[in-house]
Amino acid sequence: MGFNSSNLKSGYKSAALLFLFAVAASATFAQETTIPIETANNAMVLQVAKNKDLNTIYFGVKLSNAAEYGKVPGVYNQDDYTGMLNSAYTSSGSRNLVEPAISVTHADGNNSLDLKYVSHNITKVSDDVSLLTIQLKDPVYDFEVTLYYKSYFKDDVIEQWSTIKNNEKGVVTLNKFASANLYLKAGSFWLRQYHGDWAKEMQPEETQITHGVKTIDTKLGTRANLFEPSVFMVSLDKPATEDEGTVLYGGVEWSGNFREDFELDPTDNLRIIAGANNYASAYTLKTGEDFKTPAVWYTLSDKGRGDASRKLQSWARNYKLLDGKGTRMTLLNNWESTYFDFNEQKLSELLKDTKKLGVDLFLLDDGWFANKYPRNGDHAGLGDWQENKSKLPNGIAALVKESQTDGVKFGIWIEPEMVNPKSILYEKHPDWVVKQPKRDEYYFRNQLVLDLTNPKVQDFVFNIVDSLFVKNPGLAFIKWDCNAVIYNAYSARLKDQSHFYVDYVRGLYKVLERIRAKYPVVPMMLCSGGGGRVDYAALQYFTEFWPSDNTDPIERIFIQWEYSYFYPAMASANHVTDWGKQPLKFRTDVAMMGRLGFDIVVSKLSGSDLQFAQDAVKTYNSVKQTIWQGDQYRLSDPREKNVASIMYLDAAKANGVMFNYLVNYRYDQGSKTPIRLKGLDPKKNYKLKEINLYPGASSSIDGEKTYQGDFLMKVGFNPQVNTGRSSVVLQISEIN
């Protein structure tokens, strides 16, 4: 073919167009999409890399110029062989070398997964709440994951979960299915976690995180927090104090087995992977099926633990706790008065004591049900929810009616998820019970767990609650207990036993959803032999939780202190009992830091003690809104000082309550120095008056003196706590 200039020009033109197209395509491919999730003070920033990986490039206090988030990776010089250490949702089996958030076996038996960014969308739920969804997909397999980040702007809280979907032609097995995969950069990291047992809840431990994987988890099936709660704190660079340091709070919203992995990676950064536990729970998905993971919540503060807890408490009251902006009832419980030994006459007297005490409600505890195998102890009757005719010949209805006549409300205890082997229910429906068919039964508190993966059992549990309300429309309160863990996990109904632990919790939530759909406002206490089941998934159905069966007031100061980092005061059910050697005033003062209740024999109180208790209920009613809805400030740590001090302050910074307790009774101990208050308006003037005094006692505090907020926060105030004044409650009032 001969030379032709027109062909040459045409070739140049085509080549130029191809070059420009290639450059444009390359630029499009190379463009890195940055996705910031900003709250009032913080930012989590995700970035789509050139290869479509989704990574976390920043998590901390937000920058003033959001455009500069994209510059963050460029200022680090850390080698990452895989390019996956900061993955926003780390998959396994491809090039990943660290702990994954998700691990699967595909329909063809392949174990590799490589999730690539497809798209994202941001929805404005309200002025305060936004929802970011990010779709990820494997380029080889028809398998996708959608990540959800729900951000609460004012409170600096983020909830995160995922939906995993199988579109392959065959069954896919989920071997791990975490909800959140966080990535933090700092010089060092310190983990504050909790451990415990019955009556020893919320024991803190704080250690520096070293290389490798630290796992906090539970395999108990139910009553999941008995040994290790799912809440945690991670401090950056140094252990955070109450008012200084950067700290991350987190927890899993799941009432069953959870798992939290803390991995210090080869580049000295921290990876946190949290969600439901995959222990014995490989979950299969058929074609078209999806799997929604439970939410994980977290909040970050650069102003210490106190600021983080106030954000979290506000968020909980606004969004997670049932009726979190509402009210709570004071009550008298019969448990420590009678245990299982009661009858209609005894309860009638206790109802009159309820009115005499001045509280709102009488709570009938365990022991009111079962006839063939009477509930006279914890060895029999559980599961047979008919009134015991010997104890209550006229049934619950007569007690509800009598309580109304006495001018108080009536509540009742149930443990509907459990069964005693010595019961009609166990005899009729052994297939409803969680137990291995070929193994010996092994009991926790002489009982077994009902199989809530079974819809018939779900109906049974719902009907227990529903029938109580149908028969007794005046019923005003439920105490829902859960005392057993799961041994010999097995469902007679399930074909795939690896689904059991997940489907059990889902079954529980189905029951609770049905109850709340029909009875949306009835207060219910979440009890589990103490704090064995408390999390923000369960608390969407309950108004309060029982922190511990240990009601010794000294012990409760420490237990309630630690719970308060994660849960608001109004969610904590605190009862005055005969545990401990402290006087009634001390026990009552401690119980006032939450929802106040009594579990004492009112008829055996001395005249002065009865007068004090009656006055204390009135005092509590006058300040409870500040305790429930106010900001909490921890002023003096009982693990560090002789005096524990906690303060609640309303949003206007006008009214507050300050609780002070002696926790060291050695010779001549007390508040030697003033305690600095927090949160006040430095320019306002305040009076501090002692309240909740015992009859005949006079206060050594001059309640007419005025102090400027600046003085109280910089110098402080001495509550004059000593062995003769072991608990002091102060009311703080703005003076105009």
Side-chain angles (χ1 to χ4, degrees), residues 315-363:
W315 169 75
R317 289 190 297 263
N318 287 323
Y319 297 105
K320 303 306 291 187
L321 177 63
L322 185 68
D323 196 26
K325 305 300 287 185
T327 189
R328 300 291 184 269
M329 288 187 287
T330 52
L331 60 82
L332 176 65
N333 193 2
N334 74 300
W335 178 244
E336 294 196 18
S337 302
T338 66
Y339 294 99
F340 294 100
D341 182 20
F342 59 81
N343 55 32
E344 211 169 72
Q345 180 59 37
K346 280 187 180 181
L347 296 181
S348 179
E349 292 169 1
L350 289 172
L351 282 169
K352 291 179 174 60
D353 287 342
T354 305
K355 180 65 173 178
K356 182 191 298 183
L357 190 60
V359 295
D360 303 311
L361 176 136
F362 173 75
L363 173 60

Side-chain angles (χ1 to χ4, degrees), residues 76-113:
Y76 287 89
N77 187 21
Q78 296 175 317
D79 292 328
D80 177 0
Y81 303 121
T82 65
M84 293 190 70
L85 293 181
N86 65 334
S87 172
Y89 198 68
T90 313
S91 55
S92 68
S94 56
R95 65 186 194 279
N96 174 42
L97 300 175
V98 289
E99 185 65 33
I102 182 171
S103 177
V104 307
T105 300
H106 294 285
D108 64 1
N110 194 301
N111 288 320
S112 69
L113 182 64

Side-chain angles (χ1 to χ4, degrees), residues 433-466:
V433 180
V434 176
K435 59 175 183 171
Q436 291 279 356
K438 297 180 181 180
R439 300 194 184 278
D440 292 339
E441 292 178 1
Y442 195 68
Y443 307 126
F444 196 104
R445 206 193 176 202
N446 308 303
Q447 62 193 58
L448 294 167
V449 180
L450 293 176
D451 179 13
L452 279 175
T453 72
N454 187 336
K456 292 182 180 179
V457 176
Q458 294 171 23
D459 290 342
F460 171 78
V461 174
F462 170 78
N463 287 330
I464 291 169
V465 180
D466 187 42

Side-chain angles (χ1 to χ4, degrees), residues 43-44 56-60 76 78 85-86 181-190 209 232-236 246-249 262-265 267-272 298-300:
M44 172 181 282
T56 302
I57 62 169
Y58 183 80
F59 186 21
Y76 287 89
Q78 296 175 317
L85 293 181
N86 65 334
N181 188 164
L182 309 182
Y183 194 68
L184 298 167
K185 290 178 178 285
S188 59
F189 303 91
W190 299 79
I209 299 175
F232 64 86
M233 304 181 196
V234 172
S235 298
L236 281 61
T246 300
V247 62
L248 174 80
Y249 284 21
F262 302 83
E263 181 174 21
L264 194 62
D265 72 17
T267 62
D268 301 324
N269 299 316
L270 182 64
R271 309 174 68 253
I272 303 176
Y298 45 91
T299 186
L300 184 76

Side-chain angles (χ1 to χ4, degrees), residues 198-482:
W198 179 81
K200 296 184 290 186
E201 290 84 355
M202 293 300 283
Q203 304 294 312
E205 294 176 316
E206 188 159 29
T207 54
Q208 185 171 357
I209 299 175
T210 57
H211 289 87
V213 181
K214 163 76 174 183
T215 298
I216 299 173
D217 75 342
T218 186
K219 303 176 180 71
L220 305 181
T222 186
R223 199 176 175 182
N225 297 328
L226 179 61
F227 302 138
E228 289 189 304
S230 65
V231 291
F232 64 86
M233 304 181 196
V234 172
S235 298
L236 281 61
D237 295 317
K238 61 180 180 181
T241 64
E242 194 66 27
D243 302 303
E244 294 181 346
T246 300
V247 62
L248 174 80
Y249 284 21
V252 182
E253 297 180 35
W254 185 242
S255 305
N257 293 346
F258 62 83
R259 174 173 171 175
E260 297 157 343
D261 298 317
F262 302 83
E263 181 174 21
L264 194 62
D265 72 17
T267 62
D268 301 324
N269 299 316
L270 182 64
R271 309 174 68 253
I272 303 176
I273 297 171
N277 202 338
N278 56 315
Y279 161 75
S281 296
Y283 209 93
T284 53
L285 295 180
K286 297 176 183 177
T287 304
E289 288 185 337
D290 59 28
F291 182 97
K292 183 180 178 182
T293 68
V296 167
W297 61 262
Y298 45 91
T299 186
L300 184 76
S301 172
D302 65 336
K303 298 178 181 64
R305 298 196 303 235
D307 180 64
S309 71
R310 286 186 289 278
K311 292 176 180 179
L312 192 60
Q313 291 170 1
S314 172
W315 169 75
R317 289 190 297 263
N318 287 323
Y319 297 105
K320 303 306 291 187
L321 177 63
L322 185 68
D323 196 26
K325 305 300 287 185
T327 189
R328 300 291 184 269
M329 288 187 287
T330 52
L331 60 82
L332 176 65
N333 193 2
N334 74 300
W335 178 244
E336 294 196 18
S337 302
T338 66
Y339 294 99
F340 294 100
D341 182 20
F342 59 81
N343 55 32
E344 211 169 72
Q345 180 59 37
K346 280 187 180 181
L347 296 181
S348 179
E349 292 169 1
L350 289 172
L351 282 169
K352 291 179 174 60
D353 287 342
T354 305
K355 180 65 173 178
K356 182 191 298 183
L357 190 60
V359 295
D360 303 311
L361 176 136
F362 173 75
L363 173 60
L364 174 59
D365 216 290
D366 195 358
W368 57 268
F369 52 92
N371 290 289
K372 181 179 180 181
Y373 303 106
R375 184 69 169 174
N376 295 322
D378 63 9
H379 286 73
L382 199 58
D384 300 344
W385 296 99
Q386 300 81 34
E387 295 101 324
N388 181 277
K389 294 176 182 177
S390 175
K391 294 180 183 179
L392 306 176
N394 296 302
I396 297 297
L399 294 172
V400 174
K401 185 177 180 180
E402 185 174 352
S403 69
Q404 292 171 334
T405 301
D406 290 338
V408 296
K409 295 183 178 181
F410 189 88
I412 200 165
W413 177 97
I414 55 172
E415 192 176 4
E417 301 163 67
M418 308 294 166
V419 62
N420 286 126
K422 198 172 182 180
S423 67
I424 297 173
L425 178 66
Y426 183 92
E427 292 174 347
K428 288 180 63 177
H429 297 288
D431 58 317
W432 284 12
V433 180
V434 176
K435 59 175 183 171
Q436 291 279 356
K438 297 180 181 180
R439 300 194 184 278
D440 292 339
E441 292 178 1
Y442 195 68
Y443 307 126
F444 196 104
R445 206 193 176 202
N446 308 303
Q447 62 193 58
L448 294 167
V449 180
L450 293 176
D451 179 13
L452 279 175
T453 72
N454 187 336
K456 292 182 180 179
V457 176
Q458 294 171 23
D459 290 342
F460 171 78
V461 174
F462 170 78
N463 287 330
I464 291 169
V465 180
D466 187 42
S467 62
L468 280 170
F469 284 115
V470 170
K471 294 176 183 176
N472 310 286
L475 193 64
F477 187 90
I478 295 287
K479 179 182 177 182
W480 184 304
D481 216 338
C482 168

